[in-house]
Each structure stands twice: as C-alpha cells, then as structure tokens.
Amino acid sequence: MTDTTPPSPSRRSLLGWGGAGLALGAAAAGGAVALAHGNDEAPADPGAAVPFHGAHQAGIATPVQDRLHFAAFDVTTDDRTQFVQLLKDWTQAARRMTAGHPVGEGAYGGLPEAPPDDTGEALGLRPSRLTLTIGFGPTLFARFGLTDHRPDALVDLPKFAGDNLDAARSGGDLCVQACADDPQIAVHAIRNLARIGFGKVVIRWSQLGFGKTSSTTPEAQTPRNLMGFKDGTRNIAGTETDRLRQHVWVSEKDGGPSWMTGGSYLVARRIRMHIEPWDRTSLQEQEDIFGRDKGEGAPVGKAKERDEPFLKAMKPDAHVRLAHPDSNHGATILRRGYSFTDGTDGLGRLDAGLFFLAYQRDVREGFIPVQRNLATDALNEYIQHVGSALFAIPPGVRDKDDWWGRTLFSGEA
C-alpha cells in the first residue's frame, strides 16, 4: 500500500511544536515493509520507506532494521484534551518522517522569528526504512480516567531472579521505538517527537542500539550478539502469519478491551553483559552455556544452525534448552533486540550488552513464564537485567484520518 503524504498543518498550529528545545542528553542505556501492511517482500532499496498505515503498527513484524533509538516518556500534563492533541500531532509528524519528509514546514524557510518546525539533521537523507512504534505503560492508565481501560494483560512484571533494576532506566507512561538503517534517522525521529511534546511529556530514559540481535526475515543471515553467538535462530518471521496470529497479535477473542485488538504487548529489558569475564571463558564452556556451537550456530549434536534441537543432549542449565518453547509449555515471543555499548562503568569495564525487545499476545503466557524458567540459566553468571519496562502496543493507524491511540481515547473505546 502506498502511503499518501498529508498536507502540512498550518504554521500557526505548528508553532507550539518548536516553542522550546528539549535537551535529550546522552542515551541512558539501547525489512522493510511489514507483513501487516500487506507486503511480504523486502524492498530492493535499503533506503526505501515503510508504509505507516496498516492494521498493525510497523516495527513489530517488519524486517528488523540495523539501528534503534528507543525512548520512554513520562506524561507531565493533566489535561486529557492536550494529551490527545499531542498524540494527533505525533501521528502527523511520524507519518511525515517515515515517508522521508520533514516535520511541519521543515527546517528552514519559515518565520525567522520562530524556531523551525524540524531540527534539520535528516535533511538530504532517505527514510532508511524508519518505523515508529508507540506503546502505553501501566502508569498511564492512572491518568485521564483510564483505569477501567487498562488491559488485564498489562500486569506489573514480577521480580525475577538476578534482577538489579535501576528505576531511572525502567518504566514509563509511554514509549516510542524508532528503528532505521541510518542511526541519524532514528535519532532525528525521537528528537523531534520529544520536541513536539515539550510541556506535555518528558523523556524518562532512552537507549541507542546497533547490530540487531534478532531477525524476522528467515532467509537473512542470523545476527550475532556481543558474546559472539547467533541470536534469534528460531524467531517468529514476519511472513509467518499463523504464528504471528497465535503468539503476537491481540485478538478480540482474548477477552481484553476492544481497543487493543490488533495490537501487542512489548517487554523492554536492558541486559548488561559482563564482557570481560566472558572473554576469558573457554570456548567449550561458552558453547555449553548456550547449547549451540559458536561457528555454525548448530544445536548440540546437530550439524546445521536450523536443525531441530535435541534438548536433552544439552546441559540442564543451557540457555537454549531453558528458553525453548518445548521447555515452557509452548510459550513463544517475537524478539527485536539490539546490542548496545555505552562507554565504560568507571572501573575500566565496558558498559555493554543486549537491549531486549520482545512482542507477544499476552505477557503472562510469553515473557513471564520464559523468564522464570531462565532462573537457573548458566548464562546468568555473565549477564544482569538492569532496566525493565512493559507497554501495551495499540493497533496500527488505519488511514490519514486515524491517529495513535484513537481506539483508546476516542468515544469508541
């Protein structure tokens, strides 16, 4: 489906977007057309645009891009009308940026006495398969009289074994996930949404990511995490409509609020890797910990990466064995994680790891049981979960008159 570029809003309506700049600061921790948009094929041009409109939001089943800028926001306004207008303004801006157009009237040529509508660092750059995906956190529903509309599946995540969560890198009233093949495009998108939201929302924490660690494109080479192992071999593919329907998309039959039909639930976890001890661990032990060989990525006792694993051949505490659906009563999630490095921790150690992103139909049947089963994972010696958040991802924006969150905030909800 070809997206139609909407007319620019009036200059007067956009002045509030640029009324004051917002310093984003340093990041706090980190295929083209999705099946949901009616096209199974990845475009030949990596700079192409991903259609913004569709039954599901782009950035979930969409072939995974190379770069990430993820931001969680706190809402600072108590005015429901003002917040709804922000969602509409954000939708308009996202519609334009994903199509490769500047926000509003652009970065130059407007009133010299007013800040420009767009910050300008994406001028001359292509869309680079930018997708923007919005989600609503549990804390949002205490605002604006929405308590009765909070889905039962949007639970408070329990404390898991080994968690050492930093409150400053956890939670949030809402989130925006920006994925693109050009990091400047992803950063530009979050920067401009934050700027538009000045006075109504503020960034709580954010994460830059690189080197995707999972793929939703089965024919693509499986990416590797910072421990050097292939990650996401058996991930749900964007072309697997049955698995997406079964494990990712919320159905009206689930018994939850109707506004979530066609949406999903996102778990975001910042996982610190203890890189230095890992790098001094023998190859055999590394392979035993994962349950796969490091070169081919084949499961223990098998020759090829995608061979069906024989779980009993692995050590009881092997990561693959404990995370596999067969060890979790069929629990399955769609992963879109990214690697991150955020300098050092002041002790000469890399502050690096995995920014884990997982989409599922119900977190109580997806992430929670899997993470509990990983309590005895041998990999836990080398990793620690230091940030955590959960968001309800509403369905997609259907057309030019639709907007993010309409199904929740309109009278139809």
Side-chain angles (χ1 to χ4, degrees), residues 264-312:
S264 190
Y265 292 94
L266 169 63
V267 173
R269 304 277 284 186
R270 187 178 190 269
I271 304 174
R272 171 83 181 271
M273 291 180 176
H274 304 310
I275 296 294
E276 290 76 15
W278 177 259
D279 290 344
R280 296 191 295 269
T281 301
S282 71
L283 175 60
Q284 184 61 61
E285 185 175 351
Q286 290 183 1
E287 294 182 337
D288 287 343
I289 288 171
F290 270 98
R292 291 183 178 272
D293 75 65
K294 198 168 187 176
E296 167 61 26
V300 172
K302 302 291 183 175
K304 299 296 183 182
E305 175 194 348
R306 300 186 187 278
D307 287 347
E308 189 68 27
F310 180 53
L311 300 183
K312 291 184 177 180

Side-chain angles (χ1 to χ4, degrees), residues 75 77 79-87 140 144 201 409:
V75 177
T77 180
D79 188 324
R80 177 189 173 107
T81 300
Q82 190 179 58
F83 182 69
V84 168
Q85 186 58 52
L86 170 64
L87 293 176
L140 179 69
F144 312 126
V201 296
F409 284 93

Side-chain angles (χ1 to χ4, degrees), residues 297-346:
V300 172
K302 302 291 183 175
K304 299 296 183 182
E305 175 194 348
R306 300 186 187 278
D307 287 347
E308 189 68 27
F310 180 53
L311 300 183
K312 291 184 177 180
M314 302 175 187
K315 290 183 177 296
D317 56 359
H319 179 73
V320 170
R321 179 170 180 170
L322 293 173
H324 195 277
D326 288 352
S327 300
N328 293 280
H329 305 288
T332 304
I333 56 180
L334 186 156
R335 288 170 289 160
R336 286 185 65 97
Y338 286 83
S339 295
F340 71 84
T341 56
D342 291 327
T344 58
D345 63 1

Side-chain angles (χ1 to χ4, degrees), residues 36-62:
H37 296 77
N39 190 335
D40 298 357
E41 300 298 325
D45 185 353
V50 175
F52 181 70
H53 297 144
H56 312 292
Q57 289 195 64
I60 302 174
T62 307

